[in-house]
Amino acid sequence: MQINYAKKEVSCKLVYYGPGMSGKTTNLEIIHEKVPDQNKGEMTSIATEGDRTLFFDFLPLDLGRVRGMTTKFQLYTVPGQIYYASTRKLVLQGADGVIFVADSQEEKLAENIESFKDLEDNLAEYGVKIDEVPLVIQWNKRDLPTAMDVEELEAKVNTVNAATTTAIAATGEGVLNTLKLAASLVLDRLNAKTPGADMAAPKAEDKKEPKPEVYVAKVNKDGISRSYFNQYCQVQYRLSSKTDSVDDFKKFTLDEKKKLLESLINYVLLLQDAKKRNIQASKAEIDTQINTFTKKLSSGKSLEQYLKDRKLSLDNLRNEATKNIIIGKIIKEVIPNLNARLKIKESEVQNFYSTNQDKFGDKDIDAAKPAVLAAIKNARKRELLSEFYNKLGRETNIQIFHEKL
Amino acid sequence: MKDDHLRQRRLVYYKEDLDQIEKLLDEFLKLSNAKGSFLIDKEGHLVTQRGAVQQINPETLSALVAGAFAATKELAKLLGETEFSVMFHQGTTDHIHISIVGNRAITATIFDEKTTVGMVNLYSKELNTKLEKIFDIAARRVVKEQQMEPDYSESVKDKLDNMFED
Ligand SMILES: Nc1nc2c(ncn2[C@@H]2O[C@H](COP(=O)(O)OP(=O)(O)OP(=O)(O)O)[C@@H](O)[C@H]2O)c(=O)[nH]1
Ligand SMILES: [Mg+2]
């Protein structure tokens, strides 16, 4: 995808993939035929004799200006025949979305499966996972008597639970639907997703259009929606309230919100990094954290009561625990000699105690020592972590929309 | 991890970069006496075009040039080269000189009898060095400000719907 702010242009690349003769070129021909003149360019086909694609077909679509950006889709088909493997791969480079045109005929099943595997391999060579790329599978040639049942095709070919459509490309049926679905998957990606949101691809049957979200920040491909952010603020507010009275998080000032957003961004960065490192919090680990937390609750208060007072759910708390566990594991992994760096000298304890004496009331230094140690350790961990966040932040694309807070 | 990140990166061009790029292209056209030049990213999207080449469809040219270049790269591999950095096609009146810029873009320059392939090649080498510098700086910039309308995607979907209903 190219986003050209200077020319106010967005250009996306969609690639039609699939076995030989499945109907990829036919899809493009129909689109070329049906799109109004002002929205399309010439269709270019590099074909052998007959109708087999040799290199690729190309059809540029121009939607004109949308919200100030001239929006273009560049449609390509690959040659399906097995021996054009390297051409297929190079046409796939930089694809923002893929439409896999499958031939529904029973005798083509093996070719479909092979071509789908080939797609997976070629994407992988560009560092893209097949279940992460916007992908639509089109079950084509539904008119033929030997067409297999869609359920069976789903089970045998669609191993990644991709969105699917049915079509008779030769008559144009289903062609535009497929294109629209693929385009909208690509566009959803542009409007990045909320972390933790359900990312399951929609099936062709249910056409529920999601409401547009307002985003307060974007961290790589994950967007942070305003509603998600507000929820985060609320939970943080309630967790941090010393008393059990629960005030509205809206009392946060803009500066406080900016800080909270920063910490949420750090959290998202951390989760992204944890995912790459395959670091997870197991259910057992989370349970242990919750148990420890419950034991620490003052005067035998039950966890239920604590949560109820703060209008929190157990899930809120489990999320916090998950975060803590993952943070713990990541810092162990990325910060060398963690334990040595967390060793605290006696003089530091004394120093901290004397500068913060008011916080310890009438406790003398020995009585306050555990609290002092914990405070210093936490501060140091935060320091180390912020180094790490800075490093992560430098390697990522972060956009912050303060005006949306 | 870093590579991965680069591979999936969107190609984003800002006004400040493009202004510089276009200035360089104009300079290059003047020096080399070529008719016009296209800057294309490796995925086949046009970045910008300069000079008297309006009659050529830039989208199709970009797709074909990027495709041809990718194919040539395969050819280079067969010969044990990593890639061929320059390609030249001779026509009866117009010729095209295609050259790779760093690892993310391609320039395609159209010229006729007013100059020679040697001149075009010479100045395009200088051009490429300068372009690469701009790309490097641009790639390292951290994007902070929102530049796209939040309901952009939904609006495009609506537009697609309307386009096909007619
Ligand atoms: N019966 C029937 N025939 C179809 C359908 N779609 C395409 N065809 C026919 O299938 C043949 C191959 O279609 P193409 O679009 O050229 O196939 P392709 O996928 O581009 O093939 P390659 O370029 O070799 O990869 C043509 O004769 C089409 O008319 C369909 O839905 N039903
Ligand atoms: Mg074809």
Side-chain angles (χ1 to χ4, degrees), chain A residues 14 34 62 73-74 88 128-129 149 151 166 204 215-216 224 246 253 267 295 333 336 352 356 363 376 386:
Chain A
L14 294 180
K34 292 201 172 169
D62 183 347
F73 284 92
Q74 323 286 1
R88 257 197 307 283
V128 178
K129 292 204 184 97
D149 284 343
E151 291 85 81
T166 55
Y215 291 95
V216 293
I224 298 178
V246 180
T253 63
Y267 176 37
K295 279 193 201 116
E333 195 168 314
F352 190 93
N356 296 286
K363 279 186 188 159
I376 301 178
S386 88

Side-chain angles (χ1 to χ4, degrees), chain A residues 298-324:
Chain A
S298 56
S299 54
K301 205 178 190 184
S302 75
L303 184 63
E304 286 72 31
Q305 193 58 42
Y306 171 89
L307 292 173
K308 206 172 148 220
D309 288 345
R310 287 173 177 71
K311 295 194 184 148
L312 292 169
S313 68
L314 187 57
D315 274 347
N316 291 146
L317 202 64
R318 292 188 76 89
N319 281 341
E320 283 301 307
T322 310
K323 181 163 99 183
N324 284 337

Side-chain angles (χ1 to χ4, degrees), chain A residues 151-171:
Chain A
E151 291 85 81
E152 210 183 337
L153 283 165
E154 286 276 355
K156 297 209 160 118
V157 183
N158 187 6
T159 48
V160 296
N161 203 19
T164 58
T165 59
T166 55
I168 307 172
T171 65

Side-chain angles (χ1 to χ4, degrees), chain B residues 7-23:
Chain B
R7 240 180 265 129
Q8 293 181 21
R9 240 183 106 107
R10 294 172 191 152
L11 300 147
V12 181
Y13 296 91
Y14 294 95
K15 183 153 184 354
E16 57 217 275
D17 305 320
L18 208 72
D19 285 349
Q20 287 189 64
I21 290 172
E22 292 184 340
K23 219 176 113 199

